[in-house]
């Protein structure tokens, strides 16, 4: 276990790891004693480096968020300025930072560009929010070229990007006029396939992770507002699942071998971690010191 230097120790403060690459380097952010956000990168040997992007605000709720990290150690994230608007950034393993705003991104509070997932070629998939506070998907190449998109039928909150694989295929979700979420897969050529998890998932489907084989994982919400996990093959076959004994299952990511990781809640609504192999074998865990 670890805490970033300077992380606060009060309620809703502390250290928040977001992603890890194949070398064991971790990217994330921490909230300090004044409730300001700071990005960080932690080497496999345990050295933690703080990231504060120029232009990030220094007030409560402002600051820098570290996000996805790829094989070379390049991090995609975002920062919140003094107007509470977000802007994206890319940071190389050597510390060089490039900031960016997606075309159409708003500049008012809660609007702007959210840094997203990054693949090994440096392509980023994420979300930007316009001044009307509607979300839109974007893909940004390593050279800085943007492609923005909206899923047909998206209304309400809009379109949100969640993950991208090394083939440039991205996944996420969109919200329809009834406030229900639906998953999508978007290829590098721009072909979009939407889908819904089977069963009692009338409250929505969220695609959260994709591996290089095109296997997608995520969660769906049933009429009782409980989440179930699912895995979707590249051919479109969807299998739903629940961690044994769980009241809510929330997969977050999937690796090259098809192993899924995420969280679940037990009958007392306490959170625990889990992994699920492609054959459906589960390992559950609770970190030392977890409440």
């Amino acid at each position: 276990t670890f805490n970033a230097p300077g992380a606060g120790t009060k309620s809703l403060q502390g250290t928040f790891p977001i992603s890890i690459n194949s070398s064991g380097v971790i990217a994330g952010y921490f909230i300090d004693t004044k409730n300001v956000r700071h990005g960080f990168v932690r080497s496999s040997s345990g050295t933690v480096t703080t990231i504060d992007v120029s232009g990030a605000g220094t007030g409560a709720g402002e600051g820098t968020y570290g996000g996805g990290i790829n094989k070379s150690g390049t991090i995609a994230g975002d920062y919140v300025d003094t107007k509470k608007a977000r802007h994206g950034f890319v940071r190389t393993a050597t510390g060089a930072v490039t900031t960016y705003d997606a075309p159409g991104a708003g500049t008012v509070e809660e609007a702007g560009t959210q840094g997203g997932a990054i693949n090994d070629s440096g392509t980023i998939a994420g979300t930007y929010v316009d001044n009307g506070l509607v979300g839109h998907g974007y893909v940004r190449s390593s050279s800085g070229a943007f492609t923005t998109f909206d899923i047909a039928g998206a209304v309400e909150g809009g379109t949100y990007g969640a993950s991208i694989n090394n083939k440039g295929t991205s996944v996420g979700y969109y919200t329809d006029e009834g406030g229900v979420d639906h998953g999508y897969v978007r290829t590098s050529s721009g072909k979009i396939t939407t889908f819904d998890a089977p069963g009692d998932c009338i409250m929505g489907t969220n695609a959260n992770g994709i591996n290089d084989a095109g296997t997608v994982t995520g969660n769906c919400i049933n009429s009782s507002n409980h989440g179930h996990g699912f895995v979707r093959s590249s051919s479109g076959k969807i299998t739903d699942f629940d961690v044994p004994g769980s009241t809510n299952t929330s997969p977050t990511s999937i690796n090259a071998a098809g192993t899924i990781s995420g969280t679940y809640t037990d009958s007392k609504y306490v959170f625990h971690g889990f992994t699920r192999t492609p054959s459906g074998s589960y390992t559950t865990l609770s970190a030392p010191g977890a409440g």
Side-chain angles (χ1 to χ4, degrees):
T1 62
F2 69 92
N3 291 300
T9 58
K10 295 182 179 180
S11 177
L12 303 181
Q13 298 175 353
T15 303
F16 301 83
I18 301 298
S19 59
I20 186 170
N21 70 9
S22 54
S23 299
V25 182
I26 298 170
Y29 68 95
F30 67 91
I31 302 177
D32 67 19
T33 57
K34 296 181 180 180
N35 294 317
V36 180
R37 278 67 171 165
H38 309 268
F40 76 83
V41 57
R42 180 188 186 272
S43 71
S44 57
S45 64
T47 301
V48 178
T49 302
T50 299
I51 303 169
D52 288 305
V53 175
S54 177
T58 57
E62 300 169 358
T64 302
Y65 292 77
I69 187 169
N70 68 10
K71 184 177 181 179
S72 66
T74 300
I75 295 169
D78 58 67
Y79 65 95
V80 179
D81 63 22
T82 56
K83 295 181 180 179
K84 300 294 193 294
R86 287 183 181 261
H87 310 268
F89 76 87
V90 182
R91 180 188 185 273
T92 67
T94 58
V97 175
T98 300
T99 61
Y100 66 88
D101 292 294
T107 58
V108 300
E109 184 174 353
E110 297 186 6
T113 303
Q114 300 174 12
I118 184 170
N119 67 13
D120 289 344
S121 67
T123 302
I124 298 170
T127 305
Y128 74 92
V129 180
D130 62 29
N131 281 331
L133 302 185
V134 175
H136 311 267
Y138 76 84
V139 176
R140 180 187 185 273
S141 72
S142 58
S143 64
F146 281 92
T147 301
T148 61
F149 63 93
D150 290 291
I151 308 297
V155 194
E156 288 292 319
T159 301
Y160 292 86
S163 183
I164 187 169
N165 67 14
N166 285 323
K167 296 181 180 179
T169 300
S170 58
V171 298
Y173 68 93
Y174 70 96
T175 307
D176 67 20
E177 62 183 358
V180 177
D181 295 336
H182 309 270
Y184 74 82
V185 179
R186 181 186 184 275
T187 67
S188 59
S189 64
K191 179 183 177 181
I192 295 173
T193 302
T194 61
F195 67 91
D196 292 294
D200 179 22
C201 289
I202 62 173
M203 300 300 290
T205 298
N206 301 101
N208 297 326
I210 184 171
N211 65 12
D212 288 347
T215 306
V216 179
T217 192
N219 68 292
C220 69
I221 310 298
N222 67 16
S223 55
S224 299
N225 207 32
H226 291 163
H228 305 274
F230 72 82
V231 57
R232 179 185 185 273
S233 71
S234 58
S235 63
K237 179 182 178 181
I238 300 176
T239 302
D240 59 353
F241 64 86
D242 292 287
V243 176
S246 67
T247 56
N248 187 81
T249 299
S250 299
T252 54
S253 57
I254 183 169
N255 69 9
T259 298
I260 295 168
S261 67
T263 61
Y264 74 95
T265 54
D266 62 22
S267 59
K268 296 181 180 179
Y269 292 95
V270 176
F271 286 92
H272 309 271
F274 79 89
T275 60
R276 179 188 186 273
T277 68
S279 64
S281 176
Y282 294 91
T283 301
T284 60
L285 63 109
S286 294

